[in-house]
mmCIF file of all heavy atoms in Angstrom:
data_model
loop_
_atom_site.group_PDB
_atom_site.id
_atom_site.type_symbol
_atom_site.label_atom_id
_atom_site.label_comp_id
_atom_site.label_asym_id
_atom_site.label_seq_id
_atom_site.Cartn_x
_atom_site.Cartn_y
_atom_site.Cartn_z
ATOM 1 N N ASN A 25 177.805 -126.166 23.653
ATOM 2 C CA ASN A 25 178.782 -127.196 23.282
ATOM 3 C C ASN A 25 180.126 -126.600 22.923
ATOM 4 O O ASN A 25 181.152 -127.284 23.041
ATOM 5 C CB ASN A 25 178.252 -128.055 22.153
ATOM 6 C CG ASN A 25 178.046 -127.281 20.849
ATOM 7 O OD1 ASN A 25 177.711 -126.117 20.899
ATOM 8 N ND2 ASN A 25 178.294 -127.944 19.752
ATOM 9 N N SER A 26 180.183 -125.313 22.532
ATOM 10 C CA SER A 26 181.488 -124.721 22.178
ATOM 11 C C SER A 26 182.412 -124.631 23.374
ATOM 12 O O SER A 26 183.643 -124.611 23.165
ATOM 13 C CB SER A 26 181.250 -123.313 21.585
ATOM 14 O OG SER A 26 180.699 -122.457 22.583
ATOM 15 N N ILE A 27 181.901 -124.622 24.559
ATOM 16 C CA ILE A 27 182.734 -124.592 25.773
ATOM 17 C C ILE A 27 182.424 -125.761 26.689
ATOM 18 O O ILE A 27 182.886 -125.812 27.809
ATOM 19 C CB ILE A 27 182.633 -123.261 26.522
ATOM 20 C CG1 ILE A 27 181.201 -122.976 26.991
ATOM 21 C CG2 ILE A 27 183.192 -122.129 25.692
ATOM 22 C CD1 ILE A 27 181.024 -121.785 27.940
ATOM 23 N N ASN A 28 181.566 -126.696 26.185
ATOM 24 C CA ASN A 28 181.207 -127.904 26.919
ATOM 25 C C ASN A 28 180.673 -127.599 28.329
ATOM 26 O O ASN A 28 181.136 -128.161 29.330
ATOM 27 C CB ASN A 28 182.402 -128.880 26.999
ATOM 28 C CG ASN A 28 181.947 -130.276 27.351
ATOM 29 O OD1 ASN A 28 180.860 -130.681 27.037
ATOM 30 N ND2 ASN A 28 182.805 -131.004 28.039
ATOM 31 N N ILE A 29 179.684 -126.733 28.370
ATOM 32 C CA ILE A 29 179.081 -126.359 29.674
ATOM 33 C C ILE A 29 177.573 -126.464 29.590
ATOM 34 O O ILE A 29 176.982 -126.130 28.554
ATOM 35 C CB ILE A 29 179.507 -124.955 30.156
ATOM 36 C CG1 ILE A 29 179.044 -124.685 31.580
ATOM 37 C CG2 ILE A 29 178.942 -123.865 29.273
ATOM 38 C CD1 ILE A 29 179.874 -125.334 32.635
ATOM 39 N N GLN A 30 177.001 -126.987 30.679
ATOM 40 C CA GLN A 30 175.562 -127.048 30.849
ATOM 41 C C GLN A 30 175.234 -126.236 32.088
ATOM 42 O O GLN A 30 175.912 -126.382 33.109
ATOM 43 C CB GLN A 30 175.161 -128.499 31.008
ATOM 44 C CG GLN A 30 173.720 -128.706 31.439
ATOM 45 C CD GLN A 30 173.382 -130.165 31.556
ATOM 46 O OE1 GLN A 30 173.095 -130.805 30.555
ATOM 47 N NE2 GLN A 30 173.423 -130.727 32.767
ATOM 48 N N ILE A 31 174.212 -125.395 31.983
ATOM 49 C CA ILE A 31 173.735 -124.621 33.164
ATOM 50 C C ILE A 31 172.284 -124.926 33.375
ATOM 51 O O ILE A 31 171.460 -124.679 32.474
ATOM 52 C CB ILE A 31 173.980 -123.106 32.918
ATOM 53 C CG1 ILE A 31 175.437 -122.832 32.582
ATOM 54 C CG2 ILE A 31 173.502 -122.313 34.139
ATOM 55 C CD1 ILE A 31 175.727 -121.419 32.100
ATOM 56 N N ARG A 32 172.021 -125.441 34.523
ATOM 57 C CA ARG A 32 170.646 -125.777 34.898
ATOM 58 C C ARG A 32 170.118 -124.769 35.911
ATOM 59 O O ARG A 32 170.835 -124.453 36.871
ATOM 60 C CB ARG A 32 170.572 -127.209 35.469
ATOM 61 C CG ARG A 32 169.183 -127.770 35.569
ATOM 62 C CD ARG A 32 169.212 -129.266 35.787
ATOM 63 N NE ARG A 32 169.725 -129.610 37.113
ATOM 64 C CZ ARG A 32 168.953 -129.992 38.132
ATOM 65 N NH1 ARG A 32 167.649 -130.086 37.979
ATOM 66 N NH2 ARG A 32 169.491 -130.307 39.275
ATOM 67 N N ILE A 33 168.914 -124.327 35.693
ATOM 68 C CA ILE A 33 168.304 -123.304 36.563
ATOM 69 C C ILE A 33 166.906 -123.765 36.979
ATOM 70 O O ILE A 33 166.165 -124.299 36.182
ATOM 71 C CB ILE A 33 168.199 -121.971 35.774
ATOM 72 C CG1 ILE A 33 169.595 -121.436 35.395
ATOM 73 C CG2 ILE A 33 167.435 -120.919 36.575
ATOM 74 C CD1 ILE A 33 169.593 -120.283 34.428
ATOM 75 N N LYS A 34 166.571 -123.497 38.229
ATOM 76 C CA LYS A 34 165.198 -123.689 38.697
ATOM 77 C C LYS A 34 164.669 -122.277 39.001
ATOM 78 O O LYS A 34 165.423 -121.441 39.527
ATOM 79 C CB LYS A 34 165.143 -124.539 39.953
ATOM 80 C CG LYS A 34 165.507 -125.977 39.736
ATOM 81 C CD LYS A 34 165.416 -126.750 41.063
ATOM 82 C CE LYS A 34 165.886 -128.181 40.880
ATOM 83 N NZ LYS A 34 165.794 -128.951 42.144
ATOM 84 N N ALA A 35 163.401 -122.031 38.679
ATOM 85 C CA ALA A 35 162.869 -120.666 38.825
ATOM 86 C C ALA A 35 161.374 -120.659 38.979
ATOM 87 O O ALA A 35 160.679 -121.662 38.660
ATOM 88 C CB ALA A 35 163.293 -119.861 37.592
ATOM 89 N N LYS A 36 160.857 -119.555 39.438
ATOM 90 C CA LYS A 36 159.441 -119.257 39.418
ATOM 91 C C LYS A 36 159.165 -118.340 38.222
ATOM 92 O O LYS A 36 159.984 -117.448 37.915
ATOM 93 C CB LYS A 36 158.995 -118.547 40.710
ATOM 94 C CG LYS A 36 159.171 -119.357 41.942
ATOM 95 C CD LYS A 36 158.169 -120.442 42.031
ATOM 96 C CE LYS A 36 158.251 -121.178 43.352
ATOM 97 N NZ LYS A 36 157.231 -122.200 43.503
ATOM 98 N N ILE A 37 158.062 -118.574 37.508
ATOM 99 C CA ILE A 37 157.782 -117.824 36.278
ATOM 100 C C ILE A 37 156.431 -117.158 36.348
ATOM 101 O O ILE A 37 155.500 -117.628 37.008
ATOM 102 C CB ILE A 37 157.834 -118.789 35.082
ATOM 103 C CG1 ILE A 37 157.892 -118.001 33.761
ATOM 104 C CG2 ILE A 37 156.715 -119.798 35.113
ATOM 105 C CD1 ILE A 37 158.311 -118.831 32.560
ATOM 106 N N ASN A 38 156.358 -115.962 35.726
ATOM 107 C CA ASN A 38 155.081 -115.262 35.601
ATOM 108 C C ASN A 38 155.122 -114.358 34.348
ATOM 109 O O ASN A 38 156.202 -114.170 33.737
ATOM 110 C CB ASN A 38 154.804 -114.446 36.876
ATOM 111 C CG ASN A 38 155.875 -113.400 37.127
ATOM 112 O OD1 ASN A 38 156.995 -113.507 36.688
ATOM 113 N ND2 ASN A 38 155.561 -112.375 37.875
ATOM 114 N N LYS A 39 153.987 -113.843 34.001
ATOM 115 C CA LYS A 39 153.932 -112.912 32.846
ATOM 116 C C LYS A 39 154.774 -111.679 33.174
ATOM 117 O O LYS A 39 154.759 -111.175 34.280
ATOM 118 C CB LYS A 39 152.516 -112.463 32.575
ATOM 119 C CG LYS A 39 151.693 -113.426 31.765
ATOM 120 C CD LYS A 39 150.348 -112.785 31.415
ATOM 121 C CE LYS A 39 149.471 -113.747 30.665
ATOM 122 N NZ LYS A 39 148.179 -113.136 30.340
ATOM 123 N N SER A 40 155.473 -111.207 32.129
ATOM 124 C CA SER A 40 156.221 -109.971 32.285
ATOM 125 C C SER A 40 155.219 -108.793 32.288
ATOM 126 O O SER A 40 154.076 -108.933 31.856
ATOM 127 C CB SER A 40 157.161 -109.770 31.073
ATOM 128 O OG SER A 40 158.063 -110.821 30.980
ATOM 129 N N ASN A 41 155.679 -107.634 32.737
ATOM 130 C CA ASN A 41 154.770 -106.478 32.730
ATOM 131 C C ASN A 41 154.500 -106.027 31.305
ATOM 132 O O ASN A 41 155.324 -106.288 30.378
ATOM 133 C CB ASN A 41 155.317 -105.334 33.615
ATOM 134 C CG ASN A 41 156.584 -104.735 33.079
ATOM 135 O OD1 ASN A 41 156.666 -104.268 31.935
ATOM 136 N ND2 ASN A 41 157.627 -104.687 33.890
ATOM 137 N N LYS A 42 153.361 -105.405 31.135
ATOM 138 C CA LYS A 42 152.932 -104.997 29.787
ATOM 139 C C LYS A 42 153.877 -104.019 29.120
ATOM 140 O O LYS A 42 154.080 -104.074 27.913
ATOM 141 C CB LYS A 42 151.520 -104.385 29.861
ATOM 142 C CG LYS A 42 150.448 -105.410 30.163
ATOM 143 C CD LYS A 42 149.077 -104.772 30.209
ATOM 144 C CE LYS A 42 148.034 -105.837 30.518
ATOM 145 N NZ LYS A 42 146.679 -105.323 30.521
ATOM 146 N N ALA A 43 154.482 -103.155 29.913
ATOM 147 C CA ALA A 43 155.402 -102.171 29.347
ATOM 148 C C ALA A 43 156.609 -102.834 28.670
ATOM 149 O O ALA A 43 157.016 -102.462 27.599
ATOM 150 C CB ALA A 43 155.867 -101.192 30.434
ATOM 151 N N LEU A 44 157.149 -103.873 29.323
ATOM 152 C CA LEU A 44 158.274 -104.581 28.748
ATOM 153 C C LEU A 44 157.871 -105.328 27.469
ATOM 154 O O LEU A 44 158.578 -105.314 26.466
ATOM 155 C CB LEU A 44 158.877 -105.584 29.751
ATOM 156 C CG LEU A 44 160.061 -106.419 29.272
ATOM 157 C CD1 LEU A 44 161.229 -105.546 28.805
ATOM 158 C CD2 LEU A 44 160.499 -107.386 30.325
ATOM 159 N N SER A 45 156.671 -105.966 27.534
ATOM 160 C CA SER A 45 156.163 -106.642 26.314
ATOM 161 C C SER A 45 155.951 -105.679 25.168
ATOM 162 O O SER A 45 156.286 -105.960 24.029
ATOM 163 C CB SER A 45 154.846 -107.393 26.648
ATOM 164 O OG SER A 45 155.131 -108.485 27.547
ATOM 165 N N ASP A 46 155.373 -104.516 25.465
ATOM 166 C CA ASP A 46 155.172 -103.473 24.436
ATOM 167 C C ASP A 46 156.501 -103.004 23.880
ATOM 168 O O ASP A 46 156.681 -102.902 22.663
ATOM 169 C CB ASP A 46 154.411 -102.284 25.003
ATOM 170 C CG ASP A 46 152.941 -102.547 25.221
ATOM 171 O OD1 ASP A 46 152.395 -103.507 24.647
ATOM 172 O OD2 ASP A 46 152.303 -101.765 25.949
ATOM 173 N N GLU A 47 157.453 -102.704 24.780
ATOM 174 C CA GLU A 47 158.765 -102.206 24.340
ATOM 175 C C GLU A 47 159.425 -103.234 23.380
ATOM 176 O O GLU A 47 159.958 -102.818 22.311
ATOM 177 C CB GLU A 47 159.642 -101.978 25.559
ATOM 178 C CG GLU A 47 161.058 -101.542 25.244
ATOM 179 C CD GLU A 47 161.943 -101.451 26.470
ATOM 180 O OE1 GLU A 47 161.418 -101.184 27.579
ATOM 181 O OE2 GLU A 47 163.182 -101.602 26.340
ATOM 182 N N HIS A 48 159.407 -104.485 23.714
ATOM 183 C CA HIS A 48 160.031 -105.510 22.902
ATOM 184 C C HIS A 48 159.296 -105.642 21.565
ATOM 185 O O HIS A 48 159.898 -105.703 20.499
ATOM 186 C CB HIS A 48 160.076 -106.855 23.632
ATOM 187 C CG HIS A 48 160.757 -107.892 22.862
ATOM 188 N ND1 HIS A 48 162.115 -107.930 22.650
ATOM 189 C CD2 HIS A 48 160.246 -108.967 22.184
ATOM 190 C CE1 HIS A 48 162.420 -108.977 21.903
ATOM 191 N NE2 HIS A 48 161.302 -109.653 21.589
ATOM 192 N N TYR A 49 157.972 -105.671 21.611
ATOM 193 C CA TYR A 49 157.163 -105.855 20.407
ATOM 194 C C TYR A 49 157.410 -104.742 19.411
ATOM 195 O O TYR A 49 157.660 -105.000 18.230
ATOM 196 C CB TYR A 49 155.682 -105.878 20.788
ATOM 197 C CG TYR A 49 154.735 -106.045 19.633
ATOM 198 C CD1 TYR A 49 154.435 -107.289 19.100
ATOM 199 C CD2 TYR A 49 154.099 -104.932 19.003
ATOM 200 C CE1 TYR A 49 153.588 -107.464 18.025
ATOM 201 C CE2 TYR A 49 153.240 -105.081 17.958
ATOM 202 C CZ TYR A 49 152.974 -106.376 17.477
ATOM 203 O OH TYR A 49 152.118 -106.501 16.403
ATOM 204 N N PHE A 50 157.379 -103.493 19.874
ATOM 205 C CA PHE A 50 157.568 -102.365 18.957
ATOM 206 C C PHE A 50 159.024 -102.146 18.496
ATOM 207 O O PHE A 50 159.216 -101.397 17.545
ATOM 208 C CB PHE A 50 156.968 -101.094 19.570
ATOM 209 C CG PHE A 50 155.459 -101.211 19.688
ATOM 210 C CD1 PHE A 50 154.845 -101.231 20.919
ATOM 211 C CD2 PHE A 50 154.660 -101.284 18.539
ATOM 212 C CE1 PHE A 50 153.460 -101.353 21.009
ATOM 213 C CE2 PHE A 50 153.298 -101.387 18.634
ATOM 214 C CZ PHE A 50 152.675 -101.434 19.858
ATOM 215 N N ALA A 51 159.959 -102.857 19.093
ATOM 216 C CA ALA A 51 161.350 -102.806 18.635
ATOM 217 C C ALA A 51 161.604 -103.852 17.537
ATOM 218 O O ALA A 51 162.648 -103.814 16.894
ATOM 219 C CB ALA A 51 162.292 -103.018 19.798
ATOM 220 N N ARG A 52 160.655 -104.752 17.339
ATOM 221 C CA ARG A 52 160.808 -105.830 16.370
ATOM 222 C C ARG A 52 160.373 -105.393 14.965
ATOM 223 O O ARG A 52 159.696 -104.409 14.792
ATOM 224 C CB ARG A 52 159.997 -107.033 16.762
ATOM 225 C CG ARG A 52 160.432 -107.671 18.033
ATOM 226 C CD ARG A 52 159.468 -108.609 18.690
ATOM 227 N NE ARG A 52 158.457 -109.245 17.870
ATOM 228 C CZ ARG A 52 158.299 -110.552 17.719
ATOM 229 N NH1 ARG A 52 159.091 -111.383 18.331
ATOM 230 N NH2 ARG A 52 157.348 -111.035 16.935
ATOM 231 N N SER A 53 160.777 -106.200 13.998
ATOM 232 C CA SER A 53 160.361 -105.929 12.617
ATOM 233 C C SER A 53 158.889 -106.269 12.384
ATOM 234 O O SER A 53 158.311 -107.075 13.118
ATOM 235 C CB SER A 53 161.218 -106.780 11.660
ATOM 236 O OG SER A 53 160.839 -108.157 11.740
ATOM 237 N N ASP A 54 158.329 -105.669 11.378
ATOM 238 C CA ASP A 54 156.930 -105.995 10.988
ATOM 239 C C ASP A 54 156.770 -107.482 10.683
ATOM 240 O O ASP A 54 155.729 -108.064 10.982
ATOM 241 C CB ASP A 54 156.473 -105.158 9.785
ATOM 242 C CG ASP A 54 156.127 -103.737 10.155
ATOM 243 O OD1 ASP A 54 156.104 -103.380 11.357
ATOM 244 O OD2 ASP A 54 155.873 -102.929 9.237
ATOM 245 N N LYS A 55 157.765 -108.039 10.077
ATOM 246 C CA LYS A 55 157.718 -109.497 9.715
ATOM 247 C C LYS A 55 157.574 -110.345 10.961
ATOM 248 O O LYS A 55 156.759 -111.258 11.009
ATOM 249 C CB LYS A 55 158.937 -109.911 8.896
ATOM 250 C CG LYS A 55 158.935 -109.380 7.480
ATOM 251 C CD LYS A 55 160.149 -109.834 6.721
ATOM 252 C CE LYS A 55 160.057 -109.295 5.278
ATOM 253 N NZ LYS A 55 161.206 -109.767 4.484
ATOM 254 N N LYS A 56 158.376 -110.061 11.989
ATOM 255 C CA LYS A 56 158.306 -110.819 13.215
ATOM 256 C C LYS A 56 156.982 -110.605 13.929
ATOM 257 O O LYS A 56 156.356 -111.536 14.464
ATOM 258 C CB LYS A 56 159.464 -110.480 14.172
ATOM 259 C CG LYS A 56 160.744 -111.080 13.729
ATOM 260 C CD LYS A 56 161.814 -110.857 14.767
ATOM 261 C CE LYS A 56 163.106 -111.541 14.369
ATOM 262 N NZ LYS A 56 164.129 -111.451 15.374
ATOM 263 N N ASN A 57 156.470 -109.354 13.895
ATOM 264 C CA ASN A 57 155.207 -109.076 14.540
ATOM 265 C C ASN A 57 154.013 -109.655 13.788
ATOM 266 O O ASN A 57 153.011 -110.035 14.385
ATOM 267 C CB ASN A 57 155.048 -107.583 14.785
ATOM 268 C CG ASN A 57 155.974 -107.076 15.881
ATOM 269 O OD1 ASN A 57 156.419 -107.870 16.708
ATOM 270 N ND2 ASN A 57 156.278 -105.819 15.888
ATOM 271 N N ALA A 58 154.152 -109.751 12.472
ATOM 272 C CA ALA A 58 153.100 -110.411 11.700
ATOM 273 C C ALA A 58 153.051 -111.870 12.072
ATOM 274 O O ALA A 58 151.933 -112.463 12.138
ATOM 275 C CB ALA A 58 153.356 -110.257 10.191
ATOM 276 N N LEU A 59 154.189 -112.491 12.323
ATOM 277 C CA LEU A 59 154.187 -113.877 12.808
ATOM 278 C C LEU A 59 153.487 -114.000 14.164
ATOM 279 O O LEU A 59 152.677 -114.907 14.381
ATOM 280 C CB LEU A 59 155.635 -114.409 12.944
ATOM 281 C CG LEU A 59 156.315 -114.807 11.655
ATOM 282 C CD1 LEU A 59 157.793 -115.116 11.924
ATOM 283 C CD2 LEU A 59 155.650 -116.013 11.019
ATOM 284 N N ALA A 60 153.789 -113.080 15.066
ATOM 285 C CA ALA A 60 153.159 -113.104 16.403
ATOM 286 C C ALA A 60 151.638 -112.920 16.296
ATOM 287 O O ALA A 60 150.877 -113.584 16.985
ATOM 288 C CB ALA A 60 153.750 -111.988 17.297
ATOM 289 N N ASN A 61 151.232 -112.046 15.388
ATOM 290 C CA ASN A 61 149.786 -111.750 15.234
ATOM 291 C C ASN A 61 149.034 -112.866 14.488
ATOM 292 O O ASN A 61 147.872 -113.107 14.813
ATOM 293 C CB ASN A 61 149.601 -110.448 14.431
ATOM 294 C CG ASN A 61 149.691 -109.213 15.321
ATOM 295 O OD1 ASN A 61 148.728 -108.815 15.938
ATOM 296 N ND2 ASN A 61 150.904 -108.667 15.421
ATOM 297 N N SER A 62 149.689 -113.524 13.546
ATOM 298 C CA SER A 62 148.966 -114.476 12.714
ATOM 299 C C SER A 62 149.045 -115.905 13.204
ATOM 300 O O SER A 62 148.349 -116.777 12.714
ATOM 301 C CB SER A 62 149.498 -114.366 11.282
ATOM 302 O OG SER A 62 150.853 -114.794 11.192
ATOM 303 N N SER A 63 149.928 -116.178 14.157
ATOM 304 C CA SER A 63 150.177 -117.556 14.598
ATOM 305 C C SER A 63 149.192 -117.983 15.636
ATOM 306 O O SER A 63 148.952 -117.264 16.622
ATOM 307 C CB SER A 63 151.584 -117.680 15.141
ATOM 308 O OG SER A 63 151.792 -118.946 15.743
ATOM 309 N N ASN A 64 148.598 -119.156 15.459
ATOM 310 C CA ASN A 64 147.812 -119.781 16.473
ATOM 311 C C ASN A 64 148.706 -120.919 17.041
ATOM 312 O O ASN A 64 148.465 -122.091 16.730
ATOM 313 C CB ASN A 64 146.483 -120.342 15.956
ATOM 314 C CG ASN A 64 145.571 -119.220 15.507
ATOM 315 O OD1 ASN A 64 145.507 -118.184 16.173
ATOM 316 N ND2 ASN A 64 144.899 -119.402 14.415
ATOM 317 N N GLN A 65 149.683 -120.544 17.808
ATOM 318 C CA GLN A 65 150.756 -121.450 18.197
ATOM 319 C C GLN A 65 150.191 -122.740 18.803
ATOM 320 O O GLN A 65 149.322 -122.747 19.611
ATOM 321 C CB GLN A 65 151.636 -120.759 19.232
ATOM 322 C CG GLN A 65 152.920 -121.510 19.502
ATOM 323 C CD GLN A 65 153.839 -120.754 20.379
ATOM 324 O OE1 GLN A 65 153.467 -119.869 21.141
ATOM 325 N NE2 GLN A 65 155.114 -121.117 20.316
ATOM 326 N N SER A 66 150.753 -123.859 18.284
ATOM 327 C CA SER A 66 150.443 -125.227 18.733
ATOM 328 C C SER A 66 149.001 -125.670 18.423
ATOM 329 O O SER A 66 148.528 -126.660 18.952
ATOM 330 C CB SER A 66 150.744 -125.382 20.234
ATOM 331 O OG SER A 66 152.103 -125.194 20.458
ATOM 332 N N SER A 67 148.306 -124.926 17.573
ATOM 333 C CA SER A 67 146.978 -125.320 17.134
ATOM 334 C C SER A 67 147.076 -126.128 15.842
ATOM 335 O O SER A 67 148.028 -125.954 15.082
ATOM 336 C CB SER A 67 146.108 -124.099 16.858
ATOM 337 O OG SER A 67 145.906 -123.344 18.035
ATOM 338 N N ILE A 68 146.122 -127.008 15.633
ATOM 339 C CA ILE A 68 146.097 -127.759 14.381
ATOM 340 C C ILE A 68 145.869 -126.798 13.236
ATOM 341 O O ILE A 68 145.010 -125.896 13.315
ATOM 342 C CB ILE A 68 144.965 -128.838 14.454
ATOM 343 C CG1 ILE A 68 145.296 -129.816 15.581
ATOM 344 C CG2 ILE A 68 144.805 -129.535 13.120
ATOM 345 C CD1 ILE A 68 144.193 -130.812 15.864
#
């Protein structure tokens, strides 16, 4: 909204490779990783 632009994209999606997921995970804080480990996302 700061520049009043919308960008719409269509794409094919798949899981990223494990190396990228590992690299990102280990660069994060323990607090963020504790959230990833403890969350049962979208579960009751």
